[in-house]
């Protein structure tokens, strides 16, 4: 009986994690406004959450590469990018100048204690999530190589065309 019960619990765990929802963590955006992560949305359309830090060169390359095609992505799919800085409190003042200097058009959230990062079990950055229009995490990817943004938009297109 215990084995059957454990099997059921294990199977439910797998099913639940396949379409995990965003955890509830309170962060601030780059302008100081409080944001709860479990309320992030894009009016029923998919959105991308990209974890980065000012000191992370691959992160900066990824966000810059996405910014170069972001207008087309938005026009085609309506996707939105939310960039989440994991810079610690003593470096948080470097985030806005970096975002401004690159002219990144994203909503930027600050996670100085890595609460959101930790709640999602993220170990390394850059780390990218795609969340569907219902708030389910449907894709996860860590690291960045040139051209990887193409895979992101392909996944978003699949969601939009379902």
């Amino acid at each position: 009986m215990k084995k059957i019960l454990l099997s059921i619990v294990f199977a439910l765990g797998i099913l639940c994690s396949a379409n995990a929802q965003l955890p509830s963590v309170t962060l601030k955006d780059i302008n100081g406004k409080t944001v709860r992560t479990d309320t992030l949305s894009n009016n029923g359309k998919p959105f991308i959450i990209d974890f980065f830090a000012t000191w992370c060169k691959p992160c900066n390359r990824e966000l810059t590469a996405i910014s170069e095609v972001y207008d087309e992505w938005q026009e085609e799919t309506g996707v939105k990018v939310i960039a989440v800085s994991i810079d610690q409190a003593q470096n948080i003042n470097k985030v806005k100048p970096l975002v401004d200097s690159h002219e990144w058009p994203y909503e930027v959230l600050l996670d100085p204690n890595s609460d959101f990062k930790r709640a999602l079990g993220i170990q390394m950055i850059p780390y990218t999530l795609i969340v569907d229009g219902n708030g389910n995490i449907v894709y996860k990817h860590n690291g960045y190589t040139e051209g990887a943004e193409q895979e992101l938009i392909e996944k978003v297109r699949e969601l939009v065309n379902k």
Side-chain angles (χ1 to χ4, degrees), residues 4 55 83 86 114 134 151 153:
I4 293 171
W55 47 263
I86 62 156
S114 292
N134 299 316
E151 184 178 345
I153 192 59

Side-chain angles (χ1 to χ4, degrees), residues 26-47:
T26 302
L27 302 178
K28 294 208 181 284
D29 72 10
I30 202 166
N31 299 312
K33 180 181 161 219
T34 299
V35 176
R36 272 201 19 238
T37 57
D38 61 336
T39 65
L40 295 174
S41 71
N42 187 21
N43 299 321
K45 296 179 191 138
F47 59 98

Side-chain angles (χ1 to χ4, degrees), residues 11 22 24 69 76 81 95 101-102 108-109 113 118-119 125 127 129-130 135 143 146-147 149 160-161:
L22 291 172
S24 180
V69 291
E76 178 187 348
V81 172
V95 177
S101 72
H102 287 288
V108 178
L109 302 178
N113 299 318
R118 197 171 23 265
I125 58 169
Y127 196 92
L129 303 170
I130 299 177
E146 193 173 321
E149 64 279 2
V160 170
N161 293 326

